[in-house]
Amino acid sequence: MTGTAHPRADDPARGTLDKAADENFPVAPFFLPRAWRDDLMAVYGYARLVDDIGDGDLAPGGADARHLGVGPEQAGDRLALLDAFETDLRRVFDLSGDAPRHPLLRALRPAVARRSLTPEPFLGLIAANRQDQLVRRYETYGDLLAYCELSANPVGRLVLGITGTASPERLRRSDAVCTGLQIVEHLQDVAEDLARDRIYLPAEDMKRFHITEADLAAPTAGASVRALIAYEAQRARALLDEGIGLVGSVDGRLRLLLAGFVGGGRAALAAIAAAGHDVLPEPPRATRPRLLREVWTVLRRARREG
């Protein structure tokens, strides 16, 4: 997960939304229609908050727990908070019932109504964060992909839902891109995740490259760790390449938005490569010029292959 300073305790919703600037890709850029931007930020606020609950990164002071009706004695219980969050989410979809308690979920309600969004993608994100409390290692790449199906792919599906452009082929390509972006984030945050007692590098791959958990805790990566990161980065790049066809299948501002997602992942991979695939000292982050170059590359390839 992206490391970010805690938001202000008196305005947890604003602080959660402010984290959008730290993502690998533009969340709701200025060039989109205002209605799209508002709905994308509502979805982002939801996704960011559920991740913050799962990671224990909520603002100090317990405001989020109070909004969700969780008492002080359970304010540090992530599973209890996720259960309360799901209960509040149900209120978003019950348009004839009580309004949601949390301000970010109240902000989500109009977007759900306008775009006829379904609960499943939102519930998937909660399920992923529940899984994070119970599963801290992944044996196979297939296991990791199944986790990304919950933790990442719902976001792309929601973007297509908000923009009214979902189709079976676009959903398939979107899932690939979102999984690729999730893997890239895992590669950037190996050290940070390990500090949370989580490893998203498949155990079967660690064994193949003769890597132990102690190797991941070192100040800098040895040759074997760098080789593993390069191997997983190539997998992520292949997934992101599915985004070329996705970008080429849409027009106008949506094409630029989706190119931003794909280009953001490619730029992050370039930063990892520029660091010699040593992700342990600090998470490699893409520069803005590199991001713009990658977005342009994606747009050019989509036009040529489309």
Side-chain angles (χ1 to χ4, degrees):
M1 301 298 176
T2 299
T4 310
H6 284 298
R8 286 168 38 219
D10 61 342
D11 190 6
R14 181 68 264 160
T16 298
L17 294 173
D18 286 345
K19 294 181 180 182
D22 293 327
E23 299 293 346
N24 280 329
F25 47 83
V27 173
F30 71 92
F31 57 79
L32 293 179
R34 177 63 182 269
W36 282 9
R37 293 204 314 271
D38 289 347
D39 291 348
L40 287 169
M41 283 305 296
V43 166
Y44 174 81
Y46 174 90
R48 184 71 262 178
L49 179 58
V50 73
D51 273 356
D52 285 350
I53 293 173
D55 287 341
D57 279 346
L58 294 174
D64 291 294
R66 289 193 297 275
H67 282 306
L68 295 172
V70 175
E73 70 283 356
Q74 288 188 298
D77 185 333
R78 299 179 193 180
L79 288 172
L81 286 168
L82 288 168
D83 287 346
F85 191 67
E86 181 175 339
T87 297
D88 211 28
L89 172 67
R90 302 285 182 182
R91 297 186 183 102
V92 171
F93 291 89
D94 182 8
L95 300 180
S96 62
D98 294 337
R101 295 177 175 178
H102 198 286
L104 285 174
L105 289 175
R106 288 198 297 272
L108 181 63
R109 204 181 205 187
V112 164
R114 275 193 297 269
R115 310 298 178 183
S116 300
L117 302 178
T118 62
E120 286 75 20
F122 299 98
L123 291 169
L125 295 173
I126 294 176
N129 279 276
R130 283 202 184 100
Q131 186 166 315
D132 273 336
Q133 312 313 309
L134 305 171
V135 180
R136 298 183 176 275
R137 306 291 188 275
Y138 290 85
E139 180 61 31
T140 69
Y141 183 61
D143 294 337
L144 184 63
L145 293 181
Y147 169 72
C148 292
E149 181 72 26
L150 298 173
S151 68
N153 298 1
V155 176
R157 289 173 171 255
L158 288 167
V159 170
L160 294 178
I162 286 171
T163 57
T165 54
S167 71
E169 178 63 11
R170 285 176 181 149
L171 289 170
R172 183 191 71 78
R173 289 182 179 274
S174 171
D175 286 350
V177 170
C178 289
T179 292
L181 288 171
Q182 181 76 87
I183 291 173
V184 170
E185 185 175 323
H186 289 160
L187 297 181
Q188 290 174 304
D189 294 343
V190 168
E192 183 177 329
D193 289 333
L194 185 63
R196 301 178 190 270
D197 192 28
R198 295 177 187 165
I199 296 177
Y200 295 102
L201 298 169
E204 64 180 6
D205 296 341
M206 291 178 62
K207 292 173 187 174
R208 175 182 172 185
F209 284 85
H210 307 289
I211 293 168
T212 67
E213 293 190 13
D215 295 322
L216 301 182
T220 60
S224 294
V225 172
R226 293 175 188 238
L228 173 59
I229 298 300
Y231 175 73
E232 304 296 354
Q234 185 56 42
R235 280 175 154 171
R237 180 173 291 277
L239 289 165
L240 291 175
D241 281 347
E242 290 286 336
I244 303 299
L246 177 62
V247 171
S249 75
V250 298
D251 296 312
R253 299 176 187 183
L254 180 57
R255 175 176 285 202
L256 189 54
L257 174 68
L258 298 182
F261 293 158
V262 178
R266 289 168 56 93
L269 286 176
I272 291 171
H277 297 98
D278 185 0
V279 297
L280 300 186
E282 61 181 3
R285 301 295 179 198
T287 63
R288 182 171 178 79
R290 183 69 198 215
L291 171 61
L292 294 175
R293 285 199 302 273
E294 292 294 346
V295 169
W296 173 246
T297 298
V298 170
L299 288 169
R300 190 173 65 248
R301 285 185 56 186
R303 190 180 306 115
R304 185 171 64 244
E305 298 175 17

